[in-house]
Amino acid sequence: MRVLSGIQPSGALHLGNFFGMMKKMIEYQEQEELFCFIANYHAMTSLSDGKALAKGTLEAAASFLALGMDPERSTFWVQSDLPEVQELTWVLSNFTPMGLLERCHSYKDKVAQGLSPNHGLFAYPVLMTADILLFQSEVVPVGKDQKQHLEVARDIAIKYNNEYGEVFTVPEPDIDDNVATIPGLDGRKMSKSYGNTIDLFLDSKPLRKQIMRIVTDPTPVEEPKNPDTCNLFQIFRLFLDEAGVAELRERYLTPGLRYGDVKQELFETVHDFFAPYTERRKELLADADGLRKTLAMGAEKARYLASKTMRKVRKKGGLVY
């Protein structure tokens, strides 16, 4: 099964990125044909600082590799290293009804958050569709907030196929309800846009500072706590097995639990979990040329398949004459 996903290098990666996407992609390598990329074109919708984008691209790649992405077992590249994706975006734009994009909730939400309502932000789903269809992706893991964009990709693929025959594989979503929405420090979805993240690969002091900012309710120490409405519990459970979750739940329901103690335990858990990956990431970033070489090899692998798809698209659309 061919699986594809990408991640934006628009800022520091956080627990939401790891549990919502990165961990799953690394696991997919074991059994599926994985295509995974650094979505730096997408990041331009929210990041205009070129130096920051270039730095973030290398850091995101190093983070993935440190966590276990294997470029020999998967296809791992940077989006902008494949010009075919922009060519296909233009072709698909001509099969994308305006109303389809106007109904996208993500565009409205981001504009409401203060992002400029430009064409790139509006046409984001078409670029995402090109990413997916270019590699004949069968399964695309998405969170609930991206489900509508995948539906757009399916609609565009079907519309194109109705015109030219079965050129594109129509992708299916893979939504893990257990980690579909990971809460941030304030209970809203963990997101760089909200500034409510727990970042990966932090040193001890800033990591502890972030975790201590997790919002909890004012229930007195001597009373039971409700784990199902607690941000702290919902974050901590991501690191626990079934027995560990049950034990933590029991502590919540027993009078005497102090949120400060749980935060300290979470800090130690997060720190210890990511410590070995942090060291590996530092090594990768110290050899920037080696990192770029790895990404170039991945782009070469990706371009082989992308070129096959584009040969069909050019011929069907009359661009070969």
Side-chain angles (χ1 to χ4, degrees):
M1 184 171 66
R2 184 169 294 162
V3 179
L4 177 136
S5 192
I7 194 166
Q8 290 191 36
S10 53
L13 299 177
H14 52 75
L15 291 186
N17 297 132
F18 177 72
F19 285 105
M21 184 269 190
M22 300 174 80
K23 181 175 181 287
K24 195 164 191 175
M25 291 305 99
I26 291 166
E27 291 170 350
Y28 265 125
Q29 294 179 121
E30 302 299 323
Q31 297 179 333
E32 313 297 350
E33 184 182 9
L34 177 64
F35 285 72
C36 186
F37 63 99
I38 307 299
N40 56 344
Y41 279 141
H42 285 295
M44 294 177 74
T45 61
S46 60
L47 182 62
S48 58
D49 184 332
K51 290 183 179 179
L53 180 57
K55 180 173 180 286
T57 298
L58 284 177
E59 289 180 347
S63 298
F64 244 125
L65 292 168
L67 288 165
M69 179 64 69
D70 185 345
E72 298 295 329
R73 301 170 68 184
S74 62
T75 302
F76 181 58
W77 77 101
V78 175
Q79 186 182 30
S80 62
D81 285 340
L82 265 68
E84 289 85 355
V85 72
Q86 291 294 356
E87 182 181 359
L88 183 56
T89 298
W90 173 250
V91 172
L92 297 178
S93 294
N94 293 281
F95 290 83
T96 306
M98 287 290 290
L100 192 63
L101 299 181
E102 288 169 348
R103 289 191 292 273
C104 289
H105 304 305
S106 179
Y107 171 75
K108 299 171 187 176
D109 292 344
K110 288 181 178 178
V111 170
Q113 292 169 23
L115 289 182
S116 175
N118 57 42
H119 176 263
L121 192 63
F122 183 71
Y124 180 109
V126 186
L127 176 58
M128 179 175 166
T129 299
D131 291 321
I132 295 167
L133 300 187
L134 190 60
F135 300 99
Q136 308 295 344
S137 309
E138 297 170 275
V139 174
V140 181
V142 292
K144 289 182 179 179
D145 58 330
Q146 288 286 321
K147 181 181 177 182
Q148 188 182 39
H149 284 173
L150 190 62
E151 291 170 351
V152 168
R154 287 174 54 84
D155 288 345
I156 295 172
I158 291 169
K159 187 176 178 66
Y160 187 95
N161 287 349
N162 286 340
E163 179 76 19
Y164 291 123
E166 297 301 311
V167 176
F168 295 122
T169 300
V170 179
E172 295 290 340
D174 177 15
I175 300 174
D176 187 340
D177 291 327
N178 293 323
V179 293
T181 301
I182 294 170
L185 305 180
D186 57 3
R188 293 180 294 176
K189 175 187 174 183
M190 189 174 289
S191 170
K192 294 184 285 286
S193 302
Y194 299 142
N196 65 350
T197 62
I198 298 174
D199 297 341
L200 308 181
F201 312 115
L202 285 177
D203 291 332
S204 296
K205 189 173 181 179
L207 174 62
R208 189 175 187 279
K209 185 176 181 180
Q210 283 189 347
I211 289 175
M212 290 300 167
R213 287 174 50 213
I214 296 174
V215 175
T216 52
D217 63 50
T219 305
V221 173
E222 62 273 14
E223 293 185 13
K225 316 294 190 298
N226 186 350
D228 297 325
T229 60
C230 180
N231 306 328
L232 179 58
F233 180 88
Q234 299 305 322
I235 295 171
F236 206 155
R237 68 179 298 161
L238 297 169
F239 291 91
L240 304 175
D241 58 18
E242 189 173 335
V245 172
E247 181 182 347
L248 183 59
R249 176 178 290 276
E250 184 61 28
R251 288 175 60 195
Y252 263 73
L253 298 176
T254 303
L257 179 134
R258 297 176 184 274
Y259 286 131
D261 293 340
V262 180
K263 289 180 179 181
Q264 177 63 28
E265 292 170 25
L266 176 60
F267 157 68
E268 293 170 2
T269 299
V270 175
H271 180 270
D272 292 348
F273 182 89
F274 286 105
Y277 304 122
T278 300
E279 291 305 311
R280 175 58 181 151
R281 180 176 179 270
K282 289 178 181 177
E283 294 172 2
L284 289 163
L285 287 172
D287 182 14
D289 287 341
L291 183 55
R292 292 188 185 96
K293 183 178 179 180
T294 297
L295 293 170
M297 290 171 57
E300 186 177 350
K301 287 170 62 178
R303 199 166 190 185
Y304 174 77
L305 185 57
S307 297
K308 289 177 64 175
T309 297
M310 288 312 300
R311 281 196 292 271
K312 294 180 184 177
V313 171
R314 290 172 189 142
K315 186 174 181 179
K316 293 287 187 181
L319 301 176
V320 176
Y321 54 90

